[in-house]
Amino acid sequence: MIYNEEYETLPREVLEVLQLKRLKQAVQRVYHTVGFYRHSFDQAGVQPDDIKTLDDLKRFPFTTKQDLRDNYPFGMFAVPMSSVVSLHASSGTTGRSTVVGYTKRDIDTWSELMARSFVAAGLTKNDIIHNAYGYGLFTGGLGAHYGAVRLGASVIPMSGGNTKRQIMILQDFGPTAICCTPSYALNLAEQGKAMGVDMRSLKLRVGVFGAEPWSEKMRQEIENAFGITALNIFGLSEIMGPGVAMECIEGRHGMHVFEDHFLVETINPDTGEILPPGEVGELVFTTITKEAFPLIRYRTRDISRLIPEPCRCGRTFLRMDRVTGRSDDMLIIRGVNVFPSQIEAVLLAIPGVEPHYQLIVDRTGNLDTIEIQVEVGEQIFANADEVKVLQNMERQIVKDIKDYLGVSAKVKLVEPMTLQRFEGKASRVLDKRRI
Ligand code: AMP
Ligand code: ZN
């Protein structure tokens, strides 16, 4: 089944005509409305009129997360605030996270693309969707919600957490589909088992999982635990939120990028050189219909590859493979994006903490854990109340990390000169997760 047959099955040559028309408009619009683009295009010696074919996009400069941070919070918006109807932010709760805005039409597009995603998963208006993506600044919850409403399905706005209650609702309301992060799905299955619930006898048929990396092995585990078909959905707040690309139930391999709204390229992350379709590299997206927060050649840092072969479902949009990693040091801890530099900033704001730390990321059961080992200054140990001071400091770090970044960390204070020192680039993260 296809939600928007007309667009999702456009012959490639017709799609390309549409893409070129939309790209030209997008590039003109950003050049004339966003100071950042005017400056960056001028510096690169390109003008909106230089777009004569889709191929000309490669002459335009990349946009990076740093550019978004430099223009925090609203500097990249291409419309006045009076046209913005909603705001989201990509990670953390304060500081220079990425703030994105939507016009009414942007929300409309997002709703359609999420509705398309649900239909690609085999859902119809007769389905009941248990939405356990977090509602709030994170795009997952509301994005999936808009899509379910657009489709006409019945959405249960569960949000994340409260796992026992979720199990009850799954039993009582009988949803036929579930969306959440894949690790949370496994967590739900485990909790259900502990409560003596047979998760395979629930009415669930399909799961739409994303927002963090997962593997075929996890797919099998989830499918077995719930007796469902588990599908992959990809998105990022900067580009829109969930629903940038979605796996179809017919192909079950690779996610169709909604190419009538987004152009996708893969590049060599070290050189920026464009790679031929099929080669593994960093994904770069250009939005061609977005109004409030358009992005030209945005470097996602996500590593994947495009699948050029046509899919048996009839959609003509290219597919992208699973995201296998990142070309930067961003971590996703229980769905929250965290950069080591953000943790460092929180640590260094606390008196007595030294700039030597190590982050140990692991997965216990199905929950991500992060331990921060950090050195404290000599003077602490000279203090008569040493133990109390250390305890307070530890508590303070846990609280600040939670308050500023939204993740629960375990903190271990260590004596001066005990953590490893680096001669070149510091490697402060030990990621032990096997997914
Ligand atoms: P956010 O903007 O908070 O939604 O985070 C977006 C990031 O989550 C992406 O850039 C990816 O790194 C990651 N992500 C989203 N969906 C997936 C997926 N299906 N598989 C792997 N990583 C994903
Ligand atoms: Zn397909």
Side-chain angles (χ1 to χ4, degrees), residues 90 138 210-213 232-237 302 323 326 332 337:
S90 120
F138 173 54
E212 65 183 10
N232 199 359
I233 187 163
F234 172 84
L236 60 163
S237 332
D302 288 319
V323 172
R326 299 207 26 110
I332 303 184
N337 301 351

Side-chain angles (χ1 to χ4, degrees), residues 36 63-72 96 98 298:
F36 164 80
T63 307
T64 64
K65 192 148 188 128
Q66 189 56 45
D67 296 327
L68 308 190
R69 291 201 176 118
D70 293 345
N71 289 282
Y72 175 86
R96 306 216 142 190
T98 309
Y298 182 66

Side-chain angles (χ1 to χ4, degrees), residues 57-310:
L57 179 61
K58 67 168 185 267
R59 299 171 49 197
F60 282 69
F62 293 119
T63 307
T64 64
K65 192 148 188 128
Q66 189 56 45
D67 296 327
L68 308 190
R69 291 201 176 118
D70 293 345
N71 289 282
Y72 175 86
F74 308 139
M76 300 288 279
F77 286 14
V79 297
M81 211 45 169
S82 55
S83 302
V84 171
V85 300
S86 183
L87 296 165
H88 281 276
S90 120
S91 66
T93 40
T94 55
R96 306 216 142 190
S97 55
T98 309
V99 180
V100 296
Y102 303 79
T103 63
K104 262 197 180 121
R105 205 185 79 182
D106 292 334
I107 296 285
D108 209 51
T109 306
W110 192 11
S111 310
E112 161 155 352
L113 299 192
M114 272 309 303
R116 286 187 193 179
S117 301
F118 285 137
V119 172
L123 302 181
T124 70
K125 68 186 189 45
N126 298 322
D127 281 286
I128 303 178
I129 303 177
H130 181 105
N131 183 15
Y133 281 121
Y135 281 65
L137 282 177
F138 173 54
T139 51
L142 277 167
H145 188 99
Y146 294 141
V149 171
R150 168 63 65 88
L151 176 60
S154 318
V155 59
I156 307 172
M158 204 54 227
S159 199
N162 236 327
T163 309
K164 283 190 181 140
R165 180 132 193 261
Q166 303 236 6
I167 307 281
M168 273 170 48
I169 303 267
L170 285 169
Q171 290 177 286
D172 298 347
F173 293 12
T176 48
I178 180 165
C179 4
C180 59
T181 58
S183 58
Y184 191 62
L186 285 173
N187 192 9
L188 275 169
E190 207 173 65
Q191 178 73 45
K193 203 168 151 199
M195 289 164 67
V197 179
D198 177 9
M199 300 304 273
R200 296 179 61 93
S201 68
L202 297 172
K203 292 217 178 91
L204 290 177
R205 204 174 80 236
V206 177
V208 175
F209 305 112
E212 65 183 10
W214 55 313
S215 57
E216 284 305 315
K217 187 172 148 270
M218 276 178 79
R219 179 180 343 233
Q220 274 160 20
E221 274 178 48
I222 295 172
E223 292 193 334
N224 287 338
F226 289 91
I228 59 172
T229 301
L231 298 167
N232 199 359
I233 187 163
F234 172 84
L236 60 163
S237 332
E238 294 92 317
I239 299 304
M240 179 179 78
V244 172
M246 173 68 196
E247 215 165 39
C248 62
I249 196 160
E250 296 88 350
R252 297 199 54 199
H253 173 63
M255 299 167 271
H256 290 282
V257 176
F258 293 117
E259 285 186 281
D260 50 341
H261 295 276
F262 314 112
L263 303 184
V264 59
E265 307 166 78
T266 27
I267 61 163
N268 174 327
D270 299 324
T271 61
E273 171 209 357
I274 299 180
L275 300 173
E279 278 188 31
V280 174
E282 178 183 331
L283 296 174
V284 171
F285 281 97
T286 297
T287 68
I288 51 174
T289 55
K290 256 171 85 183
E291 291 182 333
F293 190 77
L295 279 175
I296 304 296
R297 301 198 84 203
Y298 182 66
R299 290 192 58 166
T300 62
R301 297 290 180 175
D302 288 319
I303 304 293
S304 180
R305 88 186 172 95
L306 298 176
I307 302 174
E309 294 81 29

Side-chain angles (χ1 to χ4, degrees), residues 36-69:
F36 164 80
Y37 284 110
R38 175 173 292 255
H39 182 71
S40 91
F41 292 0
D42 284 351
Q43 256 199 340
V46 286
Q47 295 294 306
D49 286 340
D50 292 338
I51 301 267
K52 303 264 189 311
T53 69
L54 285 174
D55 208 39
D56 293 325
L57 179 61
K58 67 168 185 267
R59 299 171 49 197
F60 282 69
F62 293 119
T63 307
T64 64
K65 192 148 188 128
Q66 189 56 45
D67 296 327
L68 308 190
R69 291 201 176 118

